[in-house]
Amino acid sequence: MAVVEANYSALPAWQTTRIPGFGPGILAEVAGNPLWFASTDVELAPVPASLLCLLAPWCALEGRTLTVPANSVPADLADNIRSATALMAFWWRHDPLRMEVLPSASPGPGPLHPASSGTALFFSGGIDSFHSLVSNPEVGLLVFIAGFDIRLHNRSTWEALVHSWRELAAERGLRFIAIATNVREHPVLGQMRWARYHGAVLASVAHLLGGQASRWLISASYQLSNLVPWGSHPDLDWRFGGGGIEIRHAGAELWRAEKLASMAGEDFVHRRLRVCYANPRAAGDCGQCEKCIRTRLIYWQDLPGVHCASMPAGPALAEALDLVPKLEMRSLVRIYRRFLERATIDDGVTKALRALIMRSEGEF
């Protein structure tokens, strides 16, 4: 039976352009809608590899055959992408990628970008990012993506973070690159589950910036004994590398509390740390979303007397815990149970922690 033409998606080409409000960038039409990346810090390399990282998971999920011109991407990258989508398909129960390589009369693009060296770190300013920075002295470049964790419409917040991370990089003698993208606002790609897809977006940026560094670090969100299928994972991240780009998952050997405790004496971390995901603001974290509460618990338990400058004083930690209806994932319950197991006094915070775990465990 012939495959319906609509089930095919061709790898599009990047066009160099200027993105209004964001500066020089590159744009491609994906499913009839513009997808773009922009940066005022560096010229982005419009390589097909970056689009392959973005579109392969979507095509696999949608059951589409992705057609790729011959010689447009390195063979090792194509093999790795097939492997990545096969793992994602196993985790999330869909078919792996079907990739069809089309004949091409052209000899191919040659090297994807100029020879590069050095190590870059995707930097959000959270505990995992700071720990990767402190524990990997070979890092020479920090990259922040507006439109990734902080949405584009929250411009005052991501501009404040760009300013802070640019200062941080200058203080530590590092290079810094800020990039903006509309991937989460894209009518098609933006509908994919971010928890499953964000690692592919980071990989895409690594290929766009391949001329800036050859080794890219993605900071681990989960400790090795508490791993879950996730868009960034030690078994997945490296599979988006190839063509001279290495992508490494960093820091999964430690719990997040252990990471922050190991940086107790690093004043610059506590001055600049930003963790809020639910309600980030230019002035600082909200102090009461689940991720903020989790961070406050680390300071309460492992760093008494150390102050996180971005975290407001209120509401009180016990009250904030009581305001959380439940924990949404088993992996989070395990993290909070670890807090409870290490508690040394049965105070108001401990009681609120125990109550949150009890009302959450009944959901699983």
Side-chain angles (χ1 to χ4, degrees):
M1 177 182 293
V3 179
V4 179
E5 186 175 350
N7 286 338
Y8 281 85
S9 289
L11 192 70
W14 289 116
Q15 302 294 324
T16 302
T17 186
R18 188 171 187 84
I19 309 300
F22 296 93
I26 54 177
L27 180 147
E29 292 289 329
V30 175
N33 297 279
L35 169 72
W36 57 261
F37 291 82
S39 176
T40 58
D41 290 322
V42 68
E43 183 178 354
L44 303 178
V47 293
S50 62
L51 280 167
L52 180 60
C53 292
L54 287 172
L55 295 189
W58 172 64
C59 286
L61 181 65
E62 295 291 316
R64 292 172 173 265
T65 298
L66 180 61
T67 60
V68 179
N71 304 316
S72 62
V73 297
D76 63 339
L77 174 63
D79 289 342
N80 284 345
I81 292 291
R82 288 188 179 96
S83 176
T85 61
L87 179 60
M88 297 169 88
F90 172 74
W91 282 345
W92 295 306
R93 304 185 182 215
H94 58 75
D95 291 333
L97 176 68
R98 299 193 304 267
M99 188 189 307
E100 182 177 323
V101 179
L102 302 179
S104 174
S106 65
L112 292 181
H113 22 60
S116 59
S117 62
T119 300
L121 170 65
F122 288 110
F123 193 80
S124 67
I127 294 171
D128 302 313
S129 289
F130 269 108
H131 182 264
S132 293
L133 175 60
V134 170
S135 60
N136 292 278
E138 71 275 18
V139 168
L141 170 65
L142 303 183
V143 174
F144 173 79
I145 308 173
F148 190 81
D149 286 334
I150 313 297
R151 305 295 282 269
L152 287 180
H153 63 81
N154 194 354
R155 188 161 194 143
S156 63
T157 296
W158 61 256
E159 285 185 338
L161 294 183
V162 166
H163 178 74
S164 181
W165 307 152
R166 201 178 295 281
E167 284 186 341
L168 170 67
E171 289 170 3
R172 302 189 71 80
L174 307 173
R175 293 186 296 140
F176 176 79
I177 294 174
I179 291 180
T181 179
N182 73 332
V183 66
R184 294 194 73 175
E185 278 70 45
H186 189 271
V188 173
L189 299 181
Q191 297 303 308
M192 296 184 67
R193 294 188 183 182
W194 190 241
R196 301 179 180 183
Y197 187 57
H198 64 277
V201 177
L202 295 176
S204 177
V205 172
H207 288 282
L208 292 178
L209 294 174
Q212 306 297 320
S214 59
R215 186 168 180 251
W216 291 79
L217 303 185
I218 298 178
S219 302
S221 298
Y222 289 101
Q223 199 265 353
L224 288 172
S225 64
N226 194 33
L227 291 175
V228 296
W230 201 246
S232 172
H233 188 285
D235 293 339
L236 179 63
D237 291 348
W238 66 267
R239 300 174 198 259
F240 285 100
I245 297 297
E246 176 192 358
I247 301 176
R248 185 168 72 84
H249 193 81
E253 68 278 4
L254 296 178
W255 293 86
R256 193 168 282 167
E258 293 173 327
K259 293 179 182 181
L260 188 55
S262 73
M263 299 185 290
E266 302 285 359
D267 180 65
F268 79 99
V269 173
H270 311 294
R271 282 190 289 109
R272 296 192 185 271
L273 183 68
R274 294 293 294 266
V275 303
C276 191
Y277 186 82
N279 187 29
R281 298 167 293 188
D285 296 333
C286 78
Q288 53 190 324
C289 71
E290 186 279 320
K291 195 172 181 184
C292 282
I293 291 171
R294 210 184 328 153
T295 303
R296 293 178 65 187
L297 280 167
I298 300 174
Y299 276 97
W300 167 77
Q301 187 165 73
D302 296 291
L303 292 93
V306 179
H307 175 63
C308 177
S310 70
M311 199 69 68
L317 183 52
E319 179 185 344
L321 282 162
D322 286 338
L323 293 174
V324 179
K326 63 179 181 179
L327 302 170
E328 300 291 343
M329 299 171 58
R330 289 180 187 273
S331 57
L332 287 180
V333 173
R334 287 191 287 268
I335 291 170
Y336 279 75
R337 181 160 284 286
R338 188 169 179 273
F339 283 122
L340 184 61
E341 290 168 352
R342 296 191 301 126
T344 57
I345 56 174
D346 195 23
D347 61 357
V349 173
T350 303
K351 289 181 172 64
L353 179 59
R354 184 182 297 112
L356 174 57
I357 293 170
M358 289 181 63
R359 63 179 176 269
S360 301
E361 286 184 329
E363 300 294 323
F364 302 110

